[in-house]
Amino acid sequence: MGRSPCCDESGLKKGPWTPEEDQKLVHHIQKHGHGSWRALPKLAGLNRCGKSCRLRWTNYLRPDIKRGKFSQEEEQTILHLHSILGNKWSAIASHLPGRTDNEIKNFWNTHLRKKLIQMGFDPMTHQPRTDLVSTLPYLLALASMMDNNTSSIDEHALSLQAETIQMAKLQYLHYLLQSSSFSSSSSSNPNFVFEQNNPINITNMQPPFSLLNVNENHHHNNNNPSVIMDDNNNNDDSSCQPLHYHHHHPNVLLSHSIDPPSQQVSFNSQSCLNNINEQGQGTTTNYAIISQMDHTADDDNYSSWIVPSSSPSSIAPNNNNNGASTTTSNNNTPGDTSSTTTSSYGGGGAPSSSSSYWSELFLVDPAIMHELP
DNA sequence: AACATACTCAACCGCCCTGTA
DNA sequence: GTACAGGGCGGTTGAGTATGT
């Protein structure tokens, strides 16, 4: 239908607000509330359109606005929510008290988006990009460093090198995901992605094959050794967030949407993911996260598995849908057969060598990775 | 010091949705 | 059911500032 903008009246002021205008606006709203935004400018004695007043108030003058740099936590929240909601800035802002949609949008466009791109992630899908072009700058930088005398490599260069290798490995891993027998069973519906929907700080992501370093701050539930508890609360099981192992694959930690629903737990705290201690062994185990996307549901549901990268055979998926298939929630609409069946988990068509594809995917001999650029 | 380039973010634009007469 | 007003939202712009050459 369309309609003329509210600000097309000539004579109305545009551009930056002066302190006097701000004062008038604040004073009026504090005294009378904003009421009708269109009527407000006249009542407040402002030569502005109502829309401009509303924006100025909501984005700048509102008393509950939090200004200043975004914290690491806020950054992770934005990344997480953006991976789910996309560019729904107001929806994202509703989860960040004191932050405006405009501020978040700016922060995304100026910082986070670039950060993801630089790391080889598609900022819209949050999935690793597989095109060579996206990784080329890093690979070139690395190649350049290799050519140089190592003694001249400064700290920044070393950091760049590490980042480049990490990214290249991720790319390789993603390539394996797409090209392995595993994906061949779901080539038309590549449901598996690496986890980027959890509030994992992918900006500080560990190298592939240890996407999570699991080494401390968690312990086993006193009553149920299959449950790992968050230790950030002094071993108080009652206040810890439980993490469950998959009941068919004791080495698989479950995160989202596990079955039965009564057992469902979710990682909503990054602390739960960062550090888990293999109690009693005193050893550190690295975990990788895999997610299964369900693009067919109303919302893009996903299920996740955290897989220790140290015991390949024991976590091989089975073919009878007792495994990953049970990890999905019941959000499917009736008759939605696509849902989160586990075809993609190796699925009905899981290869006979299924027991090896975990090792193929997650436990590749480091020597292979060292061959990467 | 001067200029060029990159970056930031407040503000604007125009489309879309919702409520109402 | 339709037209319209009001408000909300996402995309874009551009002035101001920071950084690099």
Side-chain angles (χ1 to χ4, degrees):
Chain A
M1 145 164 47
R3 58 194 199 90
S4 58
C6 69
C7 305
D8 63 351
E9 297 173 43
S10 57
L12 290 181
K13 193 183 172 194
K14 290 185 184 178
W17 281 63
T18 65
E20 292 74 26
E21 287 176 314
D22 283 346
Q23 202 181 352
K24 279 184 183 177
L25 182 59
V26 170
H27 184 254
H28 177 84
I29 290 176
Q30 281 176 346
K31 204 170 180 184
H32 305 102
H34 63 70
S36 163
W37 285 110
R38 183 164 282 213
L40 183 145
K42 269 189 180 176
L43 296 171
L46 290 161
N47 189 30
R48 296 268 184 176
C49 74
K51 200 169 190 173
S52 180
C53 294
R54 180 173 57 81
L55 278 172
R56 184 63 180 169
W57 174 257
T58 56
N59 287 338
Y60 201 83
L61 297 174
R62 233 173 52 200
D64 58 332
I65 283 190
K66 183 176 168 186
R67 310 209 72 84
K69 278 191 155 187
F70 281 80
S71 68
Q72 191 75 10
E73 206 171 34
E74 288 175 313
E75 185 177 323
Q76 287 164 24
T77 302
I78 294 169
L79 280 169
H80 176 218
L81 292 173
H82 187 273
S83 72
I84 298 168
L85 301 168
N87 294 358
K88 303 288 180 193
W89 306 118
S90 59
I92 294 172
S94 68
H95 291 81
L96 292 161
R99 298 295 189 182
T100 68
D101 53 354
N102 205 39
E103 200 177 6
I104 292 168
K105 181 172 58 182
N106 282 334
F107 183 60
W108 174 266
N109 287 327
T110 57
H111 292 94
L112 298 182
R113 191 170 169 277
K114 289 177 186 171
K115 219 167 182 176
L116 286 177
I117 290 171
Q118 282 179 355
M119 292 185 66
F121 287 92
D122 184 324
M124 292 317 292
T125 64
H126 289 241
Q127 293 186 29
R129 296 174 65 181
T130 52
D131 52 308
L132 181 62
V133 174
S134 70
T135 65
L136 205 52
Y138 280 81
L139 298 178
L140 287 173
L142 179 60
S144 160
M145 280 187 291
M146 295 302 189
D147 287 343
N148 291 337
N149 185 336
T150 49
S151 66
S152 68
I153 298 179
D154 60 17
E155 244 179 58
H156 177 74
L158 283 171
S159 157
L160 180 61
Q161 181 184 22
E163 205 175 339
T164 305
I165 292 170
Q166 175 181 334
M167 193 220 26
K169 287 178 179 177
L170 265 175
Q171 298 281 321
Y172 180 67
L173 203 54
H174 188 67
Y175 165 77
L176 282 178
L177 271 172
Q178 294 198 324
S179 62
S180 69
S181 54
F182 154 7
S183 66
S184 69
S185 65
S186 58
S187 56
S188 63
N189 184 15
N191 280 337
F192 274 94
V193 296
F194 271 100
E195 178 58 75
Q196 288 127 42
N197 296 314
N198 272 326
I200 296 161
N201 183 4
I202 63 175
T203 58
N204 289 326
M205 187 181 280
Q206 300 300 308
F209 313 124
S210 59
L211 291 177
L212 296 174
N213 274 328
V214 180
N215 51 33
E216 61 182 357
N217 290 345
H218 290 77
H219 70 283
H220 289 265
N221 182 294
N222 294 332
N223 300 320
N224 183 354
S226 71
V227 177
I228 289 181
M229 309 301 291
D230 184 354
D231 270 3
N232 289 327
N233 292 307
N234 299 323
N235 288 358
D236 177 8
D237 285 350
S238 63
S239 57
C240 284
Q241 173 89 3
L243 311 177
H244 286 257
Y245 282 119
H246 192 284
H247 51 283
H248 288 294
H249 300 296
N251 288 335
V252 177
L253 269 168
L254 295 172
S255 61
H256 293 272
S257 308
I258 67 171
D259 184 44
S262 62
Q263 289 184 332
Q264 183 162 331
V265 294
S266 64
F267 296 125
N268 52 17
S269 164
Q270 189 181 359
S271 65
C272 292
L273 296 170
N274 278 343
N275 302 294
I276 299 173
N277 182 38
E278 290 287 278
Q279 193 181 35
Q281 297 177 17
T283 57
T284 295
T285 305
N286 292 329
Y287 289 77
I289 303 181
I290 320 162
S291 285
Q292 180 185 21
M293 297 295 296
D294 177 19
H295 302 289
T296 58
D298 289 339
D299 298 311
D300 272 358
N301 297 321
Y302 63 95
S303 302
S304 306
W305 298 269
I306 300 181
V307 185
S309 61
S310 58
S311 50
S313 57
S314 61
I315 60 172
N318 56 17
N319 296 339
N320 59 7
N321 280 0
N322 286 337
S325 61
T326 64
T327 65
T328 55
S329 61
N330 296 322
N331 293 337
N332 311 322
T333 53
D336 178 5
T337 54
S338 62
S339 75
T340 36
T341 60
T342 356
S343 59
S344 45
Y345 193 91
S352 58
S353 60
S354 62
S355 64
S356 68
Y357 75 63
W358 287 109
S359 52
E360 180 185 356
L361 289 171
F362 299 104
L363 303 160
V364 175
D365 184 334
I368 295 177
M369 301 310 287
H370 288 149
E371 291 172 10
L372 287 167

